[in-house]
Amino acid sequence: MSEAIEKLGRKDYEKELERLQVELVRLQQWLQKSGGKVCIIFEGRDAAGKGGVIKSIMERVSPRIFRVIALPPPTERERSQMYIQRYMPHLPAAGEIVIFDRSWYNRAGVERVMGFCTEEQSDRFLAVVGAVERAIIESGVILLKYWLEVSPEEQTRRIKSRIDDPKKVWKLSPMDLESYSRWYDYSRARDLMFAASDTEWAPWYVAQSDDKKRARLSIIAHILSKIPYEKIPREKVKLPKRQKPNGYAEPHYASHHVPAFGIPPETS
């Protein structure tokens, strides 16, 4: 990121995020009404901020309509299947948005770099993935693919911050450390992936994420710009009257209570 661009302040970030999250709720209402189908793929460098973007998207919407898919390593049975087969059941039905936190592009990235598949297998995947994505789009799915790019210096800072932070230590695995050492192997794998799968019908959108707040806002705004949703009129909500007790009285019985934080038990 250019040094001339200041990092986004928290107040400006929160104000714009709130506005965009209102639009995501409107998108959700449109999906329910129209039966639209959206699939969003997030890929990128380790520590590039994919999780933060997804969390910002999901904060104010229904997880039954916006579904996040982060698949574990394949089982023995799944390893014997056609590679992309395990991802197909998770594609959206009418009225859904599916967000892949890493996707079938694992084969072009981590699997290639870390030796979990052969180069021939990765090349074969790249040779056919464009046709598969065309078929997905022709079935009525809006497919959006995002690559989050972070500078080596910022990646180092973020990974170091995980080492001693008990809230972040779960994000750091031996695989992450091995991946960190292979920056240029990942660069070459990314370049091959872009060359093969940055198609007219399913292009890659690259977001620079050294400024995480700015990247989140930019990506959410871009997603909204790529989906032709409309604001759905809503009927006015009127709170109904609550029924009368008709003789009901709260019973007096022993029960287990959660102690109120910061209040002595004898007064809570």
Side-chain angles (χ1 to χ4, degrees):
M1 176 178 294
S2 170
E3 292 182 3
I5 301 176
E6 293 184 8
K7 285 202 172 185
L8 195 64
R10 176 161 292 279
K11 284 187 179 180
D12 290 338
Y13 167 71
E14 290 178 349
K15 181 179 179 180
E16 181 62 11
L17 180 61
E18 182 178 7
R19 185 189 73 80
L20 290 172
Q21 287 177 334
V22 168
E23 292 301 317
L24 287 171
V25 172
R26 289 173 178 164
L27 169 59
Q28 174 176 285
Q29 293 166 341
W30 174 81
L31 281 167
Q32 291 176 289
K33 184 79 173 178
S34 68
K37 299 180 287 185
V38 180
C39 178
I40 305 173
I41 288 173
F42 284 107
E43 296 285 347
R45 301 275 190 183
D46 287 341
K50 295 180 292 298
V53 174
I54 293 169
K55 182 180 177 182
S56 297
I57 293 171
M58 296 297 296
E59 273 181 340
R60 304 297 179 188
V61 295
S62 170
R64 292 186 296 274
I65 296 170
F66 283 67
R67 296 192 294 112
V68 178
I69 306 299
L71 295 184
T75 63
E76 282 293 328
R77 180 176 183 276
E78 287 170 335
R79 277 196 284 269
S80 70
Q81 294 175 340
M82 180 177 69
Y83 178 74
I84 208 167
Q85 184 176 343
R86 69 191 293 249
Y87 295 94
M88 293 298 101
H90 301 284
L91 289 174
E96 292 181 343
I97 286 185
V98 168
I99 298 172
F100 280 99
D101 183 358
R102 297 206 181 273
S103 66
W104 45 84
Y105 284 100
N106 274 342
R107 175 128 294 187
V110 64
E111 291 190 14
R112 183 182 199 120
V113 173
M114 303 304 292
F116 297 137
C117 72
T118 65
E119 289 200 4
E120 182 182 0
Q121 287 173 319
S122 184
D123 289 342
R124 178 59 185 158
F125 162 78
L126 289 174
V128 302
V129 69
V132 173
E133 290 177 350
R134 184 191 282 274
I136 291 171
I137 292 165
E138 288 177 351
S139 77
V141 175
I142 296 172
L143 178 62
L144 299 172
K145 304 188 305 193
Y146 292 94
W147 175 271
L148 275 67
E149 186 64 42
V150 66
S151 68
E153 297 80 13
E154 179 63 13
Q155 186 193 56
T156 297
R157 189 194 68 77
R158 291 178 188 177
I159 290 178
K160 281 183 175 179
S161 76
R162 297 176 179 179
I163 294 174
D164 298 316
D165 189 335
K167 303 186 301 296
K168 298 179 180 179
V169 68
W170 63 272
K171 295 183 177 182
L172 195 61
S173 69
M175 179 73 70
D176 295 325
L177 295 175
E178 179 68 19
S179 294
Y180 172 80
S181 70
R182 300 193 181 196
W183 175 273
Y184 292 105
D185 287 342
Y186 274 101
S187 296
R188 294 183 183 95
R190 176 204 59 197
D191 296 347
L192 288 170
M193 182 185 77
F194 283 173
S197 62
D198 185 25
T199 57
E200 180 183 349
W201 55 90
W204 279 102
Y205 297 104
V206 178
Q208 299 296 328
S209 65
D210 279 19
D211 183 340
K212 289 192 286 188
K213 294 186 183 70
R214 195 181 299 276
R216 291 169 194 167
L217 299 180
S218 300
I219 291 169
I220 295 172
H222 191 269
I223 289 169
L224 291 167
S225 76
K226 291 296 179 182
I227 302 172
Y229 72 100
E230 300 173 356
K231 184 177 179 180
I232 303 298
R234 292 183 61 214
E235 293 182 7
K236 273 195 171 182
V237 177
K238 185 178 179 181
L239 198 64
K241 290 184 178 180
R242 184 171 285 161
Q243 65 181 163
K244 294 180 179 179
N246 293 326
Y248 176 82
E250 289 287 344
H252 297 285
Y253 52 82
S255 52
H256 301 282
H257 295 281
V258 176
F261 176 78
I263 300 177
E266 61 271 13
T267 60
S268 63

